[in-house]
Amino acid sequence: MHCLKRLRTTNPGILQLLKNAGISARVGADNTVLSRAQKPVHLPYWAAASHHTLRSFHLQQGPDVDQGLSKNRLLFGLEDLLFYTITEGKEMIPLSEFISALRNTGLLTTDPRLRDCVRQMRQSARDSSGPVMMDKMLFRKCVGNNIMLLTKAFKNKFIIPDFEEFTQQIDRMYDSAQQQEGGQVADYIPQLAKFSPDLWGMSLCTIDGQRHSVGDTRVPFCLQSCVKPLEYAIAVHELSSEHVHHYVGKEPSGLKFNKLSLNEDDKPHNPMVNAGAIVISSLIKPDSNKAERFDYVMEFLKSMAGTEYVGFSNATFQSERETGDRNYAIGYYLKEKKCFPQNVDMTAALDFYFQLCSIEVTCESGSVMAATLANGGICPITGERVLSAEAVRNTLSLMHSCGMYDFSGQFAFQVGLPAKSGVSGAVLLVVPNVMGVMCWSPPLDRLGNSVRGIHFCEDMVSHFNFHNYDNLRHFNKKHDPRRKSDEDPNKSMVNLMFAAYNGDVSSLRRFALSAVTMEERDYDSRTALHIAAAEGHMEAVLFLTEVCKVNPHVRDRWGNRPVDDAMQFRHEGVVSILQEYESMYSDNDSSSDTEEQKNTLELKSVV
């Protein structure tokens, strides 16, 4: 960064302060890094306790306390670094500003993982007579056990780093789909015909629990056929694939979903057609009574939804029973062909199937169910393993090949993702290892799929490279929201150097939190500490030394250390800081921090 060395700018305020105050740098047990001959000056938070002071405290406490103190010190360091990154260096911000920053990462205050954090914020709001300000103390109380989650969020380490930009594109696609006016609301089940054709909602949930909803996302609707992959997943999870596929096939039928048809082995073609779903329903807890079987599936679905809304529409259930002649015909056909296990009551299996189709969700809870499938069976907002990896893999495979009725082949060709539609207007879409989506709009096309839901899915995959066969490396016409915009290491290095050149501690703090190597060198072998020292940016130098603990002995291509640059440009205060820092920085110092470094690596592996 030779050009930066030439383009030297001096901060006259700092120089004047140094001349007037007569700085001498000192690192000692009085918990200050700088002491002035005439009057004290307030220092940044990260200069309040020096490396040497903390080490002295370690030695006083003895080896039994040292390890615990090291971990606490590391956690407090992470908390403080995270706090000042969020507040951009301010000592306090309005609580509403923190909540807004949290939502920009995709996390909601309703997230079960943040329950304690939200409870603490609400308690603070009740105890305060005016607007609540979040300072470092309140932040530590709120963070609690969520330091890893929040650090990951604000470090942009979630699966979709720039969630705000991503959701802006999603909103545009939602608006485009809303303009679709075709299709008819299903009327062969009277309860479904009561929904307005103008309803349209879309919710998504990523595997990290990032959430976004737009439209009518809190209106309950019945899963209908969207329950088929879910009940199949439960059956495989409980019974194994081999047992389930002894009764049901795996191939697309090429026929309507409610056709009276079996494959050449006299089995239903797959679990996604009515015949297959009816047989699957007979396999789940066959020795339990009707109420116990229903409660069992409901609890499973609630676990998949992260305890979010899962209900039941008795009116739809009764309507299904009264108008389900076709399904009764399928049931008797299956009974005739001996498709059920022995001693199964066919009418009980049909009733159970009607009940499952009448289970209600919202777009929001449905998206968490889809995200559980995207996350390999682990609910992203609770961390609970709900389904086995085998159950999820097999379910997604069948959704991909058979999930969209007679449109399955074309959907696989155009969208290339596992999905399942229902006559209620729902489309449950899974982007494996990324996110789950639930779309809902009652108007259906001639094949029984939601007009707006299909349009949204096609639009999303045309813009983002979510199609299973999009080449992530060589196909540049689509956007990859999983990729950071600043992944180029050269760009990161340049940004780091310019932050040091400008004395921008907020940016340096952000780089440190984002795991940027703070000892990165430019083509002249200069580090950020060289640049900050040459420019006389005392706070930047303090941050790089006291917090980042960078190596002060690195020499650039001219053989200069950071302290040499500070001397050349007569920044006496910076020289004093660096000389004192050099005196206590050694290889022995580094080796004595082995346990702390190990803890740091463990934390980095998590976040």
Side-chain angles (χ1 to χ4, degrees):
M1 192 60 68
H2 187 60
C3 59
L4 296 182
K5 190 172 183 179
R6 296 292 184 189
L7 295 174
R8 180 172 62 88
T9 59
T10 304
N11 187 324
I14 291 181
L15 281 179
Q16 189 62 40
L17 183 63
L18 297 177
K19 290 177 181 178
N20 292 340
I23 292 183
S24 63
R26 179 172 61 86
V27 181
D30 59 354
N31 290 339
T32 60
V33 174
L34 295 179
S35 65
R36 304 191 187 280
Q38 298 179 5
K39 62 178 181 179
V41 176
H42 283 293
L43 295 173
Y45 79 99
W46 29 261
S50 73
H51 184 80
H52 182 71
T53 302
L54 287 171
R55 182 162 308 287
S56 299
F57 185 66
H58 276 233
L59 295 175
Q60 292 171 12
Q61 297 298 315
D64 294 336
V65 181
D66 189 72
Q67 184 174 354
L69 180 59
S70 179
K71 289 184 178 179
N72 289 336
R73 173 183 166 196
L74 179 62
L75 286 174
F76 277 128
L78 280 174
E79 289 173 355
D80 290 350
L81 195 58
L82 181 60
F83 173 76
Y84 284 104
T85 299
I86 296 170
T87 64
E88 297 183 345
K90 300 174 185 175
E91 291 297 327
M92 62 175 61
I93 58 171
L95 183 60
S96 58
E97 191 174 320
F98 170 73
I99 294 173
S100 178
L102 189 66
R103 286 174 176 162
N104 287 340
T105 70
L107 294 179
L108 301 183
T109 53
T110 56
D111 193 311
R113 297 168 295 178
L114 298 176
R115 186 178 291 113
D116 293 338
C117 177
V118 173
R119 184 185 298 118
Q120 186 65 50
M121 288 191 289
R122 287 175 177 167
Q123 182 63 46
S124 299
R126 285 193 293 267
D127 295 343
S128 175
S129 57
V132 181
M133 301 297 290
M134 174 166 280
D135 56 13
K136 195 159 53 176
M137 183 178 297
L138 177 58
F139 180 75
R140 284 179 174 174
K141 289 181 181 178
C142 290
V143 166
N145 295 326
N146 300 125
I147 181 64
M148 299 303 180
L149 176 65
L150 295 177
T151 301
K152 190 175 180 181
F154 288 103
K155 280 176 65 175
N156 295 329
K157 294 295 183 181
F158 281 158
I159 187 66
I160 299 181
D162 193 348
F163 195 68
E164 194 171 4
E165 167 64 24
F166 175 71
T167 55
Q168 288 175 3
Q169 295 298 325
I170 292 293
D171 289 347
R172 179 190 62 77
M173 297 167 194
Y174 170 87
D175 293 337
S176 174
Q178 193 168 29
Q179 305 306 314
Q180 303 298 308
E181 299 292 344
Q184 299 292 325
V185 178
D187 57 5
Y188 70 92
I189 300 174
Q191 284 301 119
L192 299 183
K194 296 181 179 180
F195 284 97
S196 167
D198 297 327
L199 292 169
W200 166 223
M202 189 288 311
S203 292
L204 64 86
C205 175
T206 72
I207 60 172
D208 288 314
Q210 295 166 284
R211 310 284 297 278
H212 182 65
S213 298
V214 56
D216 304 303
T217 57
R218 296 186 178 180
V219 179
F221 58 87
C222 290
L223 281 169
Q224 290 297 320
S225 286
C226 286
V227 82
K228 293 173 181 174
L230 306 180
E231 68 160 340
Y232 169 77
I234 294 171
V236 172
H237 177 79
E238 291 295 311
L239 303 170
S240 81
S241 294
E242 183 180 1
H243 180 83
V244 171
H245 286 290
H246 178 74
Y247 297 97
V248 182
K250 308 167 187 170
E251 297 290 336
S253 67
L255 304 169
K256 286 183 67 66
F257 65 94
N258 58 359
K259 193 80 170 178
L260 275 72
S261 175
L262 301 175
N263 64 17
E264 59 185 13
D265 297 323
D266 279 346
K267 297 179 184 178
H269 291 277
N270 61 73
M272 304 299 151
V273 295
N274 287 16
I278 292 169
V279 171
I280 294 291
S281 67
S282 73
L283 301 178
I284 298 175
K285 295 294 179 184
D287 298 327
S288 302
N289 61 44
K290 292 180 180 180
E292 290 172 344
R293 296 174 73 195
F294 179 73
D295 287 344
Y296 175 78
V297 173
M298 283 290 284
E299 289 304 312
F300 232 109
L301 296 182
K302 287 179 180 178
S303 295
M304 289 186 69
T307 70
E308 294 202 356
Y309 177 79
V310 180
F312 176 71
S313 172
N314 186 61
T316 303
F317 168 59
Q318 297 298 334
S319 185
E320 288 259 20
R321 295 181 73 186
E322 292 169 2
T323 61
D325 293 338
R326 167 70 68 165
N327 286 320
Y328 280 109
I330 293 173
Y332 280 108
Y333 183 56
L334 294 170
K335 183 178 180 181
E336 178 197 1
K337 294 294 184 178
K338 296 181 172 53
C339 296
F340 292 110
Q342 288 185 352
N343 302 321
V344 165
D345 183 344
M346 183 271 295
T347 57
L350 272 172
D351 266 1
F352 189 36
Y353 171 70
F354 292 146
Q355 282 182 309
L356 297 183
C357 290
S358 303
I359 291 175
E360 285 186 335
V361 297
T362 63
C363 285
E364 294 181 1
S365 59
S367 69
V368 182
M369 291 179 175
T372 299
L373 294 176
N375 199 31
I378 299 173
C379 179
I381 63 173
T382 63
E384 177 188 359
R385 174 165 286 284
V386 184
L387 296 168
S388 66
E390 177 194 19
V392 172
R393 183 198 64 198
N394 293 353
T395 300
L396 296 182
S397 297
L398 288 169
M399 289 171 68
H400 184 77
S401 61
C402 314
M404 300 298 289
Y405 301 132
D406 296 347
F407 191 65
S408 295
Q410 191 168 340
F411 190 86
F413 184 83
Q414 293 179 339
V415 178
L417 293 170
K420 185 71 189 83
S421 61
V423 294
S424 60
V427 177
L428 186 148
L429 179 76
V430 177
V431 185
N433 304 309
V434 179
M435 67 180 183
V437 179
M438 177 64 90
C439 303
W440 175 63
S441 183
L444 310 177
D445 60 21
R446 62 182 181 81
L447 298 175
N449 298 312
S450 171
V451 172
R452 294 189 180 106
I454 296 294
H455 185 276
F456 176 85
C457 293
E458 292 176 346
D459 197 6
M460 184 179 71
V461 171
S462 69
H463 184 79
F464 297 116
N465 58 354
F466 287 152
H467 192 293
N468 264 333
Y469 303 108
D470 279 338
N471 190 296
L472 300 183
R473 180 174 296 179
H474 303 296
F475 194 73
N476 296 322
K477 292 183 179 179
K478 292 185 180 181
H479 300 273
D480 187 359
R482 294 161 287 196
R483 182 176 298 165
K484 286 186 185 178
S485 59
D486 60 348
E487 279 187 346
D488 183 354
N490 293 325
K491 183 177 179 181
S492 297
M493 184 269 292
V494 171
N495 289 337
L496 174 64
M497 296 304 174
F498 269 103
Y501 175 71
N502 292 315
D504 186 351
V505 179
S506 294
S507 293
L508 291 174
R509 192 181 299 116
R510 187 166 57 251
F511 291 140
L513 190 66
S514 300
V516 171
T517 303
M518 301 304 283
E519 294 181 354
E520 190 78 46
R521 303 188 193 188
D522 65 9
Y523 57 86
D524 285 331
S525 294
R526 307 189 77 206
T527 65
L529 187 59
H530 280 88
I531 306 298
E535 297 303 319
H537 295 309
M538 192 192 318
E539 287 203 358
V541 170
L542 284 168
F543 179 80
L544 291 168
T545 54
E546 286 298 314
V547 175
C548 302
K549 295 184 172 51
V550 298
N551 187 351
H553 302 298
V554 175
R555 295 181 182 272
D556 61 20
R557 63 184 291 190
W558 300 282
N560 293 330
R561 298 167 299 155
V563 69
D564 298 326
D565 285 349
M567 289 179 179
Q568 179 181 352
F569 297 116
R570 300 179 182 177
H571 300 305
E572 290 87 355
V574 173
V575 171
S576 299
I577 293 170
L578 290 175
Q579 287 176 337
E580 194 70 37
Y581 180 64
E582 282 183 344
S583 69
M584 63 81 140
Y585 186 96
S586 68
D587 292 336
N588 292 333
D589 227 14
S590 299
S591 63
S592 65
D593 275 341
T594 301
E595 182 62 32
E596 182 176 341
Q597 291 171 359
K598 179 181 177 183
N599 293 335
T600 304
L601 289 173
E602 290 175 354
L603 288 170
K604 284 185 177 179
S605 69
V606 174
V607 301

